[in-house]
Amino acid sequence: MTMTRTPHDELDARVAVLVCGYGEVEDNDELPAYNRRSIDLLVSKSLKVPARAVPFLSRRLAGRARAEYERANHFVSPHNEIFQRQRAGIGEALQERYGDRVETFTAFNFCDGHLPEEVLPVIREAGYDRLVIYPLLVVDSVYTGGLSLEQVNKAIGSDGGWLRAVRYLPSFYDRPEYHERLARHVREGVQPLRERYASSQIGVVLLNHGCPYRANGFETGIRESRALYHYVRELLVHEFPSISVGWMNHPTPGRWTQPDMLQAARNLITTGARAITFVPIGFVTDNHETILAVGYTMEQLRAEHPVVELSRLPSLNDDVELLRMAASWIGPLVESAAAA
């Protein structure tokens, strides 16, 4: 998919595109502050956490994460580096079409230096008064785009008059071109297994981010995530019938989506899969969950089923086709903001 610039693509005004993601720590000393923001902004949506307990929980979670990262050869998440390449790739595609009338900026929900409250002043100082808020997150929920909106609105505060126009892309879970790209990603990724197994013996676990069923009345993304799985499944199931959703749940109290990724793989093995491939579809950027959590699940499966071949495909990350699609999805919003 290309975005070729033509004369009619000249914009009426300059537009800033704020590409939003979670962000992940690259230094373990940052874990307590990272976890504190996560508890305040994420966990509190589904669980009541007393303010006095937040510092203790932040330190406890930090200790657990530090041990997990050290166990994995002092793991450093590649998320931020990949995300910056994604943001740059989207920006390049937009500039091919609109020239320097559009500029992309990075916002991370939990990482100092890229918090919306730090990035919005930069955008304003650069003279932009049109803003497109673009969570690079597959589904829309209180935990994804809703979190970005919450932080952006807080950063704007009572002085929002400088923004002449704001536009927002809620999600892209229902984009057919995204489904087609994921299906090809799966086919290409499992092709080496076809040398040893029939396609019906290759189990495919399509990984969605887990969702709690209750979040104080907020939308949690279950509806969109289920739809995403079924869209992609329909493109693959006739060739790879051993296919299942696998929910990447967090180890927190409450009722979460099922089957989790471990149970999904066990189910496929029960029905005759001799190879299992885990494929993130609810993420476009690899992170500690798609790498470490999947890796630990694979360790457990190897202990239980040593003869089953296991593999993991990466997220699409900075796939050129994905980034051009991602730019095309917000093209109409950029034009709408510029015309306002």
Side-chain angles (χ1 to χ4, degrees), residues 217-263:
F218 290 108
E219 286 279 352
T220 64
I222 292 178
R223 176 178 59 86
E224 294 97 330
S225 296
R226 282 176 171 161
L228 170 66
Y229 163 67
H230 286 290
Y231 285 135
V232 179
R233 178 183 182 275
E234 285 302 308
L235 296 174
L236 293 167
V237 68
H238 297 101
E239 184 177 357
F240 299 98
S242 297
I243 191 167
S244 173
V245 66
W247 297 94
M248 302 181 70
N249 296 332
H250 289 301
T252 56
R255 183 182 173 217
W256 286 67
T257 39
Q258 295 294 326
D260 63 29
M261 57 180 167
L262 176 60
Q263 187 59 52

Side-chain angles (χ1 to χ4, degrees), residues 113-134:
H114 293 285
L115 297 171
E117 65 199 55
E118 298 169 305
V119 180
L120 280 182
V122 174
I123 291 173
R124 185 177 185 178
E125 182 67 24
Y128 290 98
D129 60 2
R130 272 90 167 170
L131 178 69
V132 175
I133 303 169
Y134 189 5

Side-chain angles (χ1 to χ4, degrees), residues 77-319:
S77 173
H79 174 278
N80 296 2
E81 183 178 339
I82 295 169
F83 192 92
Q84 292 288 27
R85 294 200 303 267
Q86 292 174 317
R87 191 266 312 154
I90 292 170
E92 289 171 6
L94 288 171
Q95 289 194 340
E96 284 179 13
R97 182 168 181 177
Y98 302 115
D100 60 5
R101 307 293 281 174
V102 177
E103 186 175 357
T104 55
F105 298 82
T106 296
F108 288 143
N109 300 132
F110 307 126
C111 294
D112 287 326
H114 293 285
L115 297 171
E117 65 199 55
E118 298 169 305
V119 180
L120 280 182
V122 174
I123 291 173
R124 185 177 185 178
E125 182 67 24
Y128 290 98
D129 60 2
R130 272 90 167 170
L131 178 69
V132 175
I133 303 169
Y134 189 5
L136 198 63
L137 302 162
V138 182
V139 304
D140 192 51
S141 74
V142 67
Y143 301 113
T144 54
L147 177 59
S148 297
L149 280 175
E150 178 181 349
Q151 289 186 298
V152 169
N153 283 332
K154 183 178 180 181
I156 294 171
S158 59
D159 182 24
W162 65 276
L163 282 169
R164 181 166 177 173
V166 176
R167 299 294 184 268
Y168 172 74
L169 186 80
S171 67
F172 44 92
Y173 77 96
D174 57 349
R175 303 277 182 165
E177 59 269 38
Y178 179 57
H179 309 151
E180 293 283 353
R181 182 67 192 97
L182 286 172
R184 283 191 285 111
H185 182 53
V186 172
R187 292 191 186 96
E188 293 163 2
V190 302
Q191 184 57 38
L193 297 174
R194 291 290 288 113
E195 298 176 4
R196 298 181 293 283
Y197 308 104
S199 62
S200 59
Q201 295 176 310
I202 300 171
V204 178
V205 180
L206 299 177
L207 299 172
N208 269 329
H209 197 292
C211 302
Y213 278 86
R214 293 183 179 180
N216 296 331
F218 290 108
E219 286 279 352
T220 64
I222 292 178
R223 176 178 59 86
E224 294 97 330
S225 296
R226 282 176 171 161
L228 170 66
Y229 163 67
H230 286 290
Y231 285 135
V232 179
R233 178 183 182 275
E234 285 302 308
L235 296 174
L236 293 167
V237 68
H238 297 101
E239 184 177 357
F240 299 98
S242 297
I243 191 167
S244 173
V245 66
W247 297 94
M248 302 181 70
N249 296 332
H250 289 301
T252 56
R255 183 182 173 217
W256 286 67
T257 39
Q258 295 294 326
D260 63 29
M261 57 180 167
L262 176 60
Q263 187 59 52
R266 287 169 172 163
N267 293 347
L268 294 178
I269 292 170
T270 296
T271 57
R274 302 187 65 182
I276 298 289
T277 298
F278 294 92
V279 189
I281 63 170
F283 300 84
V284 291
T285 314
D286 269 327
N287 54 69
H288 79 278
E289 292 180 80
T290 66
I291 297 172
L292 290 188
V294 175
Y296 293 146
T297 298
M298 291 169 65
E299 282 184 9
Q300 189 166 347
L301 278 173
R302 286 193 181 99
E304 296 176 2
H305 303 279
V307 300
V308 175
E309 187 169 349
L310 304 175
S311 58
R312 178 190 71 88
L313 298 188
S315 301
L316 288 177
N317 292 325
D318 42 356
D319 174 80

Side-chain angles (χ1 to χ4, degrees), residues 35 39 43 49-50 52-63:
N35 288 328
I39 292 169
V43 178
V49 182
R52 64 181 182 278
V54 172
F56 168 76
L57 288 175
S58 300
R59 291 192 298 270
R60 183 174 180 180
L61 289 171

